[in-house]
Amino acid sequence: MRVAGRRVLRGWMRGLGAMLVVGLLAGLQAPVAASEVRRPVIGLVLSGGGALGATHIGVLKVLEELKVPVDIITGTSMGSIVGGLYALGLDAQELESLVASIDWAKTFEDSPPRGSLPVRRKQEDYGFLLDLKLGIKDGGLQLPAGLIQGQRLTLMLRELTVRAHDIGDFDNLPIRYRAVAADLETGKQVILGGGNLATAMRASMSVPAFLPPVEVDGRLLVDGGVANNLPVDVARAMGAEVLIVVDIPTVLKKRDQLTSSLDIAGQMLAVLIQQNSLAQIASLGPQDILIQPDLGDRGSVDFDAILEMIAPGEAAARAQTARLQALSLAPAAYADDRRSRGVKRVESPVIAFVDIDNRTKLDDRRIRASIRQKVGEPLNVKQIEEDFSQLYGSGLYEQVDYALVDREGKTGLVVTATGKAWAQDYIRLGLALESDVDGESSYEVGFGLTLTALNSYGAEARGELAFGDAQYLLGEFYQPLQPGTGFYVLPAAAYVRNDARARGNDGTTSEFRTTRAEAALYLGYEFGTELDTRVGLRVGAGEVDLHTGTGAGVETGDFRIGAAEARLLYDTLDSVRFPTGGSLLRLQAGASRTELGADDNYVRLDATAVRALTWGSNTLVLGSSGGTAASGDLPVYDRFRVGGLFSLSGYARDELSTGNLLLGRMLLMRRLSRRSPLFFDLPVYAGGSFEAARLDDASGEDEFDKNAFGGSLFLGADTPLGAGYLALGKGDAGRTAGYLYFGKLF
């Protein structure tokens, strides 16, 4: 018994001694172990989703609030943009402010603002041809690779990433970063871990058929959602040990919603994206955190409501607060972590050189002359964007882009001008239609062909053919005399056949059919994008035939044309269909002289002025036009005509003809439709107009020295067929007309 007790005591003492030794060793080693504790490498994975991708900003706001560090970011499409800018050093608040400040409607418009277009491009708007261009290549019609070319989007990304111009390896960003795109030829994912940051983000969101592919290292890249919309595996391959995965769920349409080919094509793409996302989600481990915001019925194209996407991301992240807090750092440690990464400072580098990478047959000087950036001065991003918009608006380039490059310690600008791969020559179709309830109607149908970049100075040939109430065939050749904007020569020829009205000396109104063929040669000068002047000579011959009426006192038969002409055009309107701002001033003078081969001596003057003012959804358009015979009498084919919707509403189109005209009008309209930021914007307007005219030597019976009035109420829409109107017009003397009208305001 005593022996057993001693054994128990010795065992107890040995156990106590062992515990003391372990405790002592643990106590001695505790400080060392604490200093060697390493937090896990945290990766953030952001999925694509178009406008829905703004929900990632809400998640980032919560991560910052909870002091959760991020070591790695991978993203696809919109996730690549949010992730790339966060990796560059923008915080969540800056990202939210940025998203709010961007005019998404302009960003996704392919065409630059009309105000930045060359004057020559603006002049094309005053005919009846549509804006839709069908390219011609290799003898056939050709469409572009995307519904928009992404010119503005690319320049926006360049501006946002200027501070990363000297970073070629995305591991050197404050947060290691990868963008995911897809190879258009193979369909396989392409992981972009270096190069130009803006180019990587732009490639990752090149939605097929909407934006053209981006060429990187010889591969054509499209939106990464096609191959890997949720790049979990990419983050793991970079060394991420714990993943925070933000997945924007793909919502598939029900059977009754699949009613068109576009619906079906969209559903196929959505299924593909959903399947590759589900495979990535299935690979997540218990340590990973999946965040799936509830975005309701919001859609990927709802950029006009993009700020509404942020709150759902924030709410979904807060629902994971407990798990996220396990990854958080103490405030001081979090601040140290952010500081240790550094943030690229926002500064404009001084440009030491400007190189032109000209991928067209145009003269390099034509491109350089349009770029105001000076060597030895800081980069002026806004000015670059304006200059590039003007170049792109010329219609000669598929894209005008730039990159900042470092050579021997100096930063320079490399401008890349790419010619249209899908076609430099194009066809434009045209339609003008007016019909009223009294059975009066008029129409014109036609098309135009434009051949561009015919030589290094940018010469163009243009032809138009139209038939209907008026028939004409015209052609012109535009030849600049210098690389940049300035002098040009323009020979032109035309054949025109139309009807004109005139009042005979017996007091009756007659209608005449006039036919003429003419040629002209002009010398012009373009002042930037707003002003064009030209002078020239016009010669030709024609015939006037009596169509209806007596024609008493009006000369018919053959006639000859010989005139010296001058024109000034000042144009800053943002649209000729439904303008919301800008001005138009057009002055023309022609002196018909027998010395130049004409039958008659007379001087014809005419002018048009328009001003558009907008507040909120309301627009006021004020306009006036008129003309006179400063000397002599105008022949029937050269008289001023007035009548029709917005040109004395209530009257038939060109019902009145006069030798002297003064017309004033006022339109007030309100936009009814919500503006869409994407290419399918279809503005709808309601409004009214009032017009007043003074006519001397008018065509109608007993209408000399006439004052005429008209007004209308209308619904209008900027349709793919042009500006269309349903209107009710009211004129003086009880005139009333209902209109279905496709055409221009002026």
Side-chain angles (χ1 to χ4, degrees):
M1 187 74 179
R2 195 180 299 124
V3 174
R6 283 197 298 268
R7 288 176 179 171
V8 171
L9 181 60
R10 284 197 299 269
W12 182 83
M13 290 296 292
R14 284 196 298 267
L16 179 60
M19 291 176 62
L20 289 173
V21 171
V22 170
L24 179 60
L25 291 175
L28 291 173
Q29 294 176 358
V32 177
S35 67
E36 293 179 353
V37 169
R38 181 181 65 82
R39 68 173 181 80
V41 177
I42 299 173
L44 178 64
V45 180
L46 305 178
S47 75
L52 301 178
T55 200
H56 298 317
I57 298 174
V59 175
L60 292 172
K61 291 172 70 174
V62 175
L63 295 184
E64 290 181 355
E65 179 185 320
L66 298 178
K67 307 293 189 294
V68 176
V70 176
D71 304 297
I72 291 168
I73 297 178
T74 62
T76 297
S77 197
M78 194 65 169
S80 75
I81 292 180
V82 174
L85 295 176
Y86 195 72
L88 185 57
L90 277 71
D91 61 29
Q93 186 59 53
E94 289 174 311
L95 287 172
E96 185 172 15
S97 299
L98 175 64
V99 166
S101 67
I102 293 173
D103 187 335
W104 293 97
K106 289 184 177 179
T107 299
F108 287 109
E109 282 180 2
D110 198 23
S111 299
R114 187 175 181 274
S116 67
L117 296 180
V119 180
R120 178 164 177 78
R121 290 284 85 86
K122 292 179 180 179
Q123 293 179 65
E124 295 179 352
D125 294 338
Y126 293 104
F128 67 96
L129 298 180
L130 308 181
D131 291 337
L132 177 64
K133 297 178 180 179
L134 301 176
I136 302 175
K137 186 175 183 181
D138 299 329
L141 294 180
Q142 183 83 15
L143 293 176
L147 289 171
I148 68 171
Q149 297 303 302
Q151 173 71 19
R152 289 190 185 177
L153 175 62
T154 300
L155 292 180
M156 181 189 76
L157 294 176
R158 297 280 182 234
E159 179 183 2
L160 295 176
T161 58
V162 164
R163 66 179 82 178
H165 74 271
D166 57 346
I167 295 179
D169 185 345
F170 298 162
D171 282 343
N172 294 329
L173 291 168
I175 300 176
R176 296 174 62 207
Y177 167 76
R178 297 291 185 272
V180 175
D183 189 315
L184 182 58
E185 292 183 277
T186 65
K188 295 181 179 179
Q189 77 169 358
V190 177
I191 302 169
L192 299 169
N196 185 281
L197 181 59
T199 299
M201 294 191 294
R202 169 68 177 78
S204 181
M205 69 166 301
S206 295
V207 180
F210 179 59
L211 286 164
V214 174
E215 184 174 350
V216 176
D217 297 331
R219 293 181 293 188
L220 288 179
L221 304 184
V222 295
D223 192 297
V226 174
N228 191 354
N229 193 54
L230 193 64
V232 168
D233 55 344
V234 178
R236 276 216 182 87
M238 294 174 67
E241 297 169 330
V242 175
L243 298 178
I244 301 172
V245 180
V246 187
D247 173 49
I248 299 172
T250 302
V251 180
L252 300 178
K253 292 183 177 181
K254 303 298 183 183
R255 180 172 179 174
D256 59 356
Q257 296 174 303
L258 300 173
T259 58
S260 71
S261 58
L262 289 177
D263 292 333
I264 295 171
Q267 184 85 337
M268 291 296 293
L269 182 60
V271 168
L272 181 63
I273 291 173
Q274 184 189 65
Q275 293 304 310
N276 68 55
S277 292
L278 290 176
Q280 295 289 331
I281 291 173
S283 71
L284 296 178
Q287 77 282 6
D288 301 321
I289 301 172
L290 177 63
I291 299 174
Q292 293 180 308
D294 181 4
L295 292 157
D297 58 356
R298 300 175 179 90
S300 60
V301 297
D302 293 338
F303 283 91
D304 54 341
I306 194 167
L307 288 178
E308 298 176 9
M309 316 298 180
I310 296 176
E314 189 173 350
R318 291 196 187 284
Q320 299 283 353
T321 296
R323 299 192 65 194
L324 290 172
Q325 281 179 329
L327 301 174
S328 65
L329 299 177
Y334 183 74
D336 288 342
D337 182 81
R338 294 290 292 268
R339 254 191 317 272
S340 67
R341 299 179 187 280
V343 176
K344 293 290 296 182
R345 289 178 298 170
V346 181
E347 55 184 26
S348 295
V350 174
I351 300 303
F353 56 88
V354 177
D355 290 347
I356 306 297
D357 180 6
N358 186 359
R359 303 176 184 179
T360 76
K361 59 184 178 182
L362 298 170
D363 194 305
D364 287 2
R365 292 174 296 172
R366 181 179 177 88
I367 301 170
R368 185 64 181 98
S370 299
I371 300 172
R372 292 170 290 172
Q373 176 67 53
K374 294 181 179 179
V375 172
E377 294 187 359
L379 175 70
N380 189 329
V381 175
K382 293 299 182 184
Q383 189 179 81
I384 286 287
E385 290 180 357
E386 293 173 3
D387 295 344
F388 283 22
S389 289
Q390 182 178 344
L391 278 167
Y392 181 77
S394 69
L396 303 176
Y397 308 96
E398 183 157 313
Q399 192 168 66
V400 185
D401 197 2
Y402 72 93
L404 296 173
V405 298
D406 292 330
R407 293 178 188 164
E408 300 177 353
K410 296 181 179 180
T411 300
L413 187 72
V414 176
V415 178
T416 302
T418 306
K420 285 187 174 179
W422 61 280
Q424 288 187 330
D425 307 327
Y426 56 87
I427 290 175
R428 295 179 70 180
L429 305 179
L431 171 68
L433 170 68
E434 185 170 11
S435 179
D436 63 38
V437 294
D438 294 327
E440 294 282 347
S441 62
S442 62
Y443 77 96
E444 286 184 40
V445 178
F447 73 93
L449 171 63
T450 301
L451 309 178
T452 68
L454 296 177
N455 56 37
S456 63
Y457 276 19
E460 295 182 1
R462 182 165 66 93
E464 290 186 15
L465 171 66
F467 56 91
D469 283 10
Q471 299 96 44
Y472 64 80
L473 173 65
L474 63 84
E476 63 181 31
F477 184 82
Y478 166 79
Q479 176 61 65
L481 299 179
Q482 58 198 85
T485 301
F487 284 106
Y488 65 89
V489 293
L490 190 143
Y495 170 85
V496 181
R497 183 178 183 182
N498 58 9
D499 295 333
R501 296 182 181 185
R503 184 178 185 274
N505 56 18
D506 62 351
T508 62
T509 300
S510 300
E511 188 172 281
F512 300 86
R513 177 150 293 170
T514 68
T515 304
R516 66 181 186 270
E518 56 191 39
L521 177 64
Y522 299 101
L523 173 66
Y525 191 90
E526 295 173 310
F527 297 84
T529 63
E530 299 177 348
L531 181 63
D532 175 73
T533 59
R534 67 173 63 165
V535 295
L537 297 174
R538 181 168 59 94
V539 296
E543 182 181 18
V544 176
D545 294 325
L546 179 64
H547 194 49
T548 61
T550 64
V554 179
E555 292 187 11
T556 58
D558 297 338
F559 63 86
R560 293 179 300 166
I561 300 170
E565 298 182 331
R567 191 196 73 176
L568 180 148
L569 175 66
Y570 173 79
D571 187 352
T572 63
L573 290 175
D574 61 355
S575 170
V576 297
R577 294 182 173 186
F578 294 92
T580 60
S583 302
L584 169 69
L585 177 62
R586 184 168 51 224
L587 304 175
Q588 298 184 97
S592 175
R593 309 301 299 174
T594 56
E595 296 91 334
L596 298 174
D599 291 331
D600 303 300
N601 288 325
Y602 62 91
V603 176
R604 185 181 191 273
L605 305 175
D606 70 273
T608 299
V610 177
R611 175 65 173 161
L613 304 167
T614 294
W615 64 100
S617 298
N618 307 297
T619 297
L620 177 66
V621 180
L622 301 173
S624 63
S625 60
T628 186
S631 65
D633 295 321
L634 299 182
V636 64
Y637 58 83
D638 222 2
R639 294 164 66 87
F640 301 101
R641 294 183 290 176
V642 66
L645 184 63
F646 306 136
S647 177
L648 288 185
S649 301
Y651 285 80
R653 177 62 57 185
D654 296 334
E655 180 177 343
L656 303 178
S657 173
T658 179
N660 300 283
L661 172 68
L662 179 61
L663 172 68
R665 58 183 173 178
M666 176 179 67
L667 286 85
L668 180 63
M669 53 189 175
R670 179 177 178 83
R671 178 161 179 154
L672 304 179
S673 60
R674 186 177 182 180
R675 189 179 186 190
S676 169
L678 294 182
F679 62 92
F680 43 72
D681 190 30
L682 184 66
V684 177
Y685 300 86
S689 71
F690 175 74
E691 308 100 37
R694 170 75 177 180
L695 302 94
D696 293 331
D697 183 27
S699 65
E701 187 174 357
D702 300 324
E703 289 182 347
F704 287 101
D705 302 329
K706 176 182 175 61
N707 293 318
F709 302 93
S712 70
L713 295 174
F714 64 85
L715 284 174
D718 200 352
T719 75
L721 292 178
Y725 303 88
L726 285 173
L728 177 65
K730 180 73 174 177
D732 52 83
R735 293 174 178 269
T736 302
Y739 296 98
L740 169 63
Y741 176 62
F742 281 94
K744 300 289 172 60
L745 283 176
F746 38 81

